[in-house]
Amino acid sequence: MEFAYLGPRGTFTEAALRRLPAAKTATATPMSSIFEVLDAVRRGEVDAGFVPIENSQEGTVTVTVDELVGGDPLVIVGEVVLPVTFVLASEKPVGEITTVASMPVALAQVRKYLRRELPDAVVHQALSTAQAAQRAAGGEFDAAVCPPFAAEAVGLPVQAFDIGDNPNAATRFVHVVRPTSPPDPSGNDITSLVVYIDYDRVGALLGVLTEFAIRGINLTRIESRPTGEGLGRYAFFLDCTGHLADARMGEALTGLRRICADVRYLGSYPRDHSDKPVPPPAGLSDADFADAAAWLDRLRREGA
């Protein structure tokens, strides 16, 4: 198996990829952008892609979500949640640094440090933290905000450790492939979807939420993304607890199919979270659905 991932080597993405069971024996190819990674998967140049999708500080990685919402179909079959730690890497002491580079998501997570310690430094954007480290090592910038392993890889001394604003920061990465059947249920799964509502119907979004609520399915994330059709035209990206194979999830999806303009299934896959799965409410387990279906079938056949 060959994976494409957001490179260059030495990124958080590469560190997270090493934790993915499916990638233990795979070939890993770094690419310069999230778009290139997903496009390589779509064209069949690689078997799978691995990209960031969400950060605990800055929220959505919009390029990833927009590609999943609007590009040719891909599905998620796994995730990795990686704690992130940043350092300031430079040949110069902090007091002599005038330019700093990193990727936008990383820079956003060290705002307080930069304002406090480098208020006059000019900040530049790079495609990744590893690229920022490479460019700083080459003399293009004085310093880079990057993970410690990226600084080590290019031989840059670390001038300050743990400079992130939140010591509990983490980034979520996803393993994406061309459309296929999902992994077997693990008992602690996420299902990701995109729903396109009928904008002219009052209460359309409430109807979507109701399909989940009445079946005891918890939405862990809901986000609107523009469709490009005009102002006020949005699709909704959803993460919800459960698996496509669960009876209550199946009923929710069929309900969405009836009331939405369109539904795009983005995969069911094991959670890489420490949170324990919440059991289904009374009457909403697979056994309860099976019993109710058998009862209805008996009524239709026998009338009692």
Side-chain angles (χ1 to χ4, degrees):
M1 177 176 287
E2 183 177 0
F3 274 81
Y5 69 94
L6 177 62
R9 298 193 185 280
T11 59
F12 282 117
T13 310
E14 183 186 26
L17 180 60
R18 292 173 182 167
R19 297 190 179 194
L20 186 72
K24 295 296 184 184
T25 59
T27 301
T29 302
M31 295 191 170
S32 61
S33 70
I34 291 171
F35 174 80
E36 287 184 46
V37 172
L38 299 181
D39 199 41
V41 179
R42 289 184 171 114
R43 294 198 305 265
E45 295 175 1
V46 294
D47 301 298
F50 194 73
V51 292
I53 193 170
E54 182 182 6
N55 177 267
S56 61
Q57 289 292 101
E58 292 302 301
T60 293
V61 180
T62 55
V63 176
T64 300
V65 171
D66 287 347
E67 279 295 308
L68 293 175
V69 169
D72 291 340
L74 293 170
V75 294
I76 303 169
V77 293
E79 70 166 13
V80 172
V81 176
L82 183 75
V84 295
T85 301
F86 296 102
V87 301
L88 183 71
S90 176
E91 296 284 357
K92 297 181 178 182
V94 174
E96 297 179 13
I97 293 172
T98 60
T99 56
V100 181
S102 196
M103 68 182 302
V105 172
L107 292 169
Q109 294 181 72
V110 297
R111 288 191 188 104
K112 292 179 181 178
Y113 176 85
L114 295 179
R115 288 172 184 167
R116 184 179 67 250
E117 302 296 336
L118 295 168
D120 298 322
V122 178
V123 176
H124 298 268
Q125 293 187 0
L127 291 175
S128 69
T129 54
Q131 187 200 66
Q134 290 175 348
R135 294 171 73 179
E140 187 175 349
F141 306 112
D142 290 344
V145 171
C146 61
F149 49 80
E152 182 181 359
V154 298
L156 270 182
V158 173
Q159 301 298 332
F161 288 91
D162 297 327
I163 65 173
D165 298 339
N166 184 348
N168 299 314
T171 297
R172 177 182 168 212
F173 301 83
V174 289
H175 170 195
V176 297
V177 298
R178 292 178 293 280
T180 186
S181 57
D184 292 336
S186 70
N188 189 13
D189 300 288
I190 295 177
T191 293
S192 296
L193 308 165
V194 181
V195 296
Y196 301 82
I197 63 173
D198 181 353
Y199 303 102
D200 297 323
R201 185 168 67 85
V202 175
L205 182 56
L206 177 61
V208 169
L209 301 180
T210 300
E211 293 293 333
F212 293 106
I214 63 176
R215 295 176 177 89
I217 296 173
N218 185 34
L219 288 180
T220 60
R221 182 180 179 194
I222 178 170
E223 181 171 354
S224 61
R225 297 304 304 160
T227 63
E229 299 170 357
L231 290 174
R233 301 288 174 168
Y234 289 87
F236 293 88
F237 182 97
L238 310 174
D239 282 336
C240 44
T241 56
H243 193 280
L244 181 64
D246 298 341
R248 56 183 175 151
M249 184 65 72
E251 281 210 357
L253 293 184
T254 56
L256 293 177
R257 177 70 176 178
R258 292 194 301 270
I259 67 171
C260 292
D262 195 12
V263 179
R264 175 177 284 198
Y265 169 73
L266 293 179
S268 295
Y269 47 94
R271 301 178 75 187
D272 185 27
H273 291 49
S274 59
D275 298 341
K276 294 182 179 179
V278 178
L284 293 174
S285 69
D286 278 7
D288 294 325
F289 276 97
D291 177 72
W295 172 78
L296 179 60
D297 181 64
R298 187 169 63 252
L299 288 181
R300 287 170 171 171
R301 287 186 291 103
E302 302 172 8

